[in-house]
């Protein structure tokens, strides 16, 4: 094995690909070779680096220097300054003051521990980090019910939004006698402001596959489907490659590790419908139908895909599983709070200094996330509110900054953790406008199956549009609330039950804005 | 030509979404015609109304002919607060089209999309399979110009 003095990690994602990262890497290698550094400096193409800069972003290890928006023309200066003279090129650094240091972002990582460090397209690198050891343990040393019990003991809750305990979900399906059972992975990430699953899949696709395998073994499924958004081309390519590598290594296929267990994983590409994030709608879509949700019960765990017992889990949920099986539930429970164990991946957007993602303990306060993981507010801006959990989330004002970000704590405030999206707004932004945008989203995404949601989302959008124009009355503001309450009580699935959250939280915390605009 | 696409897939209903993707991607006008629906219906032994139902449910499919390049601008809250409305206005005036319309030369169709999952670089749009982030009005001119030039 070769040893290098420094490693240049280059984040390959949609943005960098668009900035021509492939040509950039070629130019970088040439520039290093020109300076005779190719044996000393390693260039590594990897997944998300943990921060969002513009254009092509680099991290240099071991110094842990972050660069953003690096162009081919900058390379001679960068290579000569940083790698020959050994002083970072301040001009291109993410935060030249050095105040923001995303490295402690890595302290408590489970699902993103390899992301931005290993090459996601190499199974060898995943194996080198201890990858697939949990799969081997689950397959050869553990009985299916032991796996279920271990996941149950870990307290792992679904990371898709609702927070249902994963082990409990598995325990309904595992004991059933059936000719065929399925694992379905919900990778149809559509909650506005959420892209954690994309980053997990882009950064470490094998970890997700390992989680799927363990789940399949636990419930006795021999076939798994990953239902992924059509827009996530890079994820689809990387997952397909990872599945192929697993077959070559005998990690997937028939009679895996001579255990007698067979498993195949296949990818299904969605076609653009937010409602398909609902598990029964997703199953309908997999079967080749419109993505209308089904009546529950029976729950998918009993009768799911093609009426077979099916466990549907979110990407992040399954990506936690290898860690739990390998290290035991006790280790996992060291993270987070007693009620909500483990970590959570958050995506922080809007007017913060450093938008991006972070994986931190459940129960960390919103203030800590914004100040320490996103570098605080953008210069010159003041915090006004944060939309937490996407469109199906809540708008939290500054007095709620110390709320703990976990399922149980947020529930106390009738709020939701949802998918972990945090959209920060500054003091100049209008809550009425924000709510308008949210309700426009719901109007577009209602599937039309049940009347409360189909008509209600239209009605809400009409009301907020009128109010936004300054033509509404205070009675109409109240009408939004009662309409959304009726929808919450009568809608068929979570989509129609969700608009109440944003509306109620907006009115509770920012009523003045609505009063003011109706007086115009 | 539709039959050939169908033949690549097993004739089971769960392949419908795949077949429709394939038909749309290979059609120069990126849409699914009535004729195509009938061929698929025959192949999968699924009623044409079911296929039409599926086709009109998902936002990625079109039943109308579209331009060579399809612009899908995100209008979800994270992009909206970063000014996606200004970008939309710019695109509309630059291309002289409304949402859902195709330019006279058939080069671009302008569409709106829900969250594309690239919110770290909002406002964002996709042109065909490529993502463009951190959009500004100047950047729009550059991108459209480049694609026009490339054609």
């Amino acid at each position: 094995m070769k040893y290098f003095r420094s490693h240049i990690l280059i984040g390959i994602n949609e943005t960098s690909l668009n900035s021509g990262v492939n040509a950039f890497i070629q130019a970088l290698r040439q520039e290093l070779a020109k300076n005779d550094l190719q044996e000393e400096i390693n260039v590594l193409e990897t997944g998300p680096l943990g921060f969002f800069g513009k254009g092509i972003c680099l991290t240099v290890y071991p110094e842990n220097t972050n660069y953003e928006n690096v162009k081919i023309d900058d390379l001679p200066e960068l290579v000569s300054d940083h790698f020959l003279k050994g002083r970072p090129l301040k001009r291109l650094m993410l935060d030249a003051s050095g105040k923001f240091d995303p490295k402690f972002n890595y302290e408590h990582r489970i699902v993103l521990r390899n992301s931005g460090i290993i090459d996601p397209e190499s199974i060898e690198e995943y194996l080198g980090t201890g990858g697939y050891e949990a799969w081997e343990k689950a397959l050869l040393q553990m009985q299916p019910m032991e796996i279920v019990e271990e996941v149950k003991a870990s307290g792992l809750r679904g990371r898709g939004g609702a927070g249902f305990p994963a082990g409990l979900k598995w325990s309904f399906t595992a004991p059933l006698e059936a000719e065929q059972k399925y694992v379905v992975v919900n990778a149809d990430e559509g909650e506005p402001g959420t892209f954690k699953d994309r980053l997990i899949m882009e950064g470490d696709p094998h970890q997700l596959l390992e989680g799927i395998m363990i789940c399949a073994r636990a419930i006795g499924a021999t076939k798994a489907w990953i239902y992924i958004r059509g827009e996530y081309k890079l994820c689809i390519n990387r997952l397909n490659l990872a599945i192929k590598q697993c077959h070559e290594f005998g990690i997937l296929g028939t009679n895996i590790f001579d255990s007698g267990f067979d498993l195949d994983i296949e990818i299904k590409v969605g076609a653009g419908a937010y409602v398909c994030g609902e598990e029964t709608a997703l199953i309908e879509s997999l079967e080749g139908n419109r993505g209308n949700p089904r009546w529950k019960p029976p729950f998918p765990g009993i009768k799911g895909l093609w009426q077979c017992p099916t466990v549907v889990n979110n990407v992040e949920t399954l990506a936690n599983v290898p860690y739990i099986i390998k290290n035991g539930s006790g280790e996992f429970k060291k993270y987070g709070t007693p009620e909500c164990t483990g970590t959570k991946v958050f995506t922080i957007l809007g007017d913060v200094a450093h938008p991006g993602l972070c994986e931190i303990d459940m129960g960390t306060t919103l203030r800590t996330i914004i100040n320490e993981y996103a570098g605080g507010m953008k210069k010159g801006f003041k915090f006004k509110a944060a939309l937490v959990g996407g469109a199906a989330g809540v708008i939290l004002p500054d007095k709620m900054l110390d709320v703990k970000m976990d399922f149980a704590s947020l529930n106390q405030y009738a709020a939701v953790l949802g998918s972990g999206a945090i959209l920060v707004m500054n003091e100049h932004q209008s809550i009425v406008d924000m709510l308008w945008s949210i309700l426009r989203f719901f109007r577009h995404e209602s599937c039309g199956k049940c009347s409360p949601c189909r008509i209600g989302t239209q009605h809400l959008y009409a009301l907020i549009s009128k109010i936004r124009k300054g033509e509404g009355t205070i009675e109409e503001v109240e009408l939004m609330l009662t309409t959304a309450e009726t929808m919450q009580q009568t809608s068929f699935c979570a989509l129609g039950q969700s608009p109440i959250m944003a509306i109620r939280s907006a009115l509770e915390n920012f009523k003045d804005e609505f009063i003011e605009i109706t007086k115009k | 030509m539709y039959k050939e696409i169908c033949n690549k897939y097993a004739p089971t209903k769960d392949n419908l979404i795949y077949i429709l993707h394939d038909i749309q991607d290979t059609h120069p006008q990126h849409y699914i015609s009535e004729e195509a629906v009938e061929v698929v219906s025959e192949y999968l032994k699924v009623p044409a109304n079911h296929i039409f139902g599926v086709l009109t449910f998902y936002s990625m499919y079109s039943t109308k002919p579209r331009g060579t390049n399809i612009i899908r601008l995100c209008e979800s809250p994270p992009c909206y607060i970063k000014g996606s409305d200004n970008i939309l206005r710019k695109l509309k005036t630059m291309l002289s089209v409304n949402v859902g319309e195709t330019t006279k030369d058939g080069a671009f169709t302008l569409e709106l999309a829900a969250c594309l999952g690239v919110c770290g670089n909002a406002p964002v749009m996709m042109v065909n399979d490529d993502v463009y982030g951190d959009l500004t009005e100047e950047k729009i001119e550059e991108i459209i110009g480049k694609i026009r030039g490339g054609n």
Side-chain angles (χ1 to χ4, degrees), chain A residues 123-137:
Chain A
I123 189 171
E124 284 93 345
E125 291 204 11
Y126 183 65
L127 290 168
T129 66
Y132 292 115
E133 281 174 22
W135 172 224
E136 194 187 343
K137 184 178 170 190

Side-chain angles (χ1 to χ4, degrees), chain A residues 18 198 229 267 285 289-290, chain B residues 13 18 21 53 58 115 117 131:
Chain A
N18 202 259
R198 177 168 69 84
R229 293 187 64 161
I267 291 173
S285 183
N289 302 324
R290 290 166 70 94
Chain B
K13 197 180 71 181
Y18 265 178
H21 268 307
Y58 297 98
C115 188
V131 178

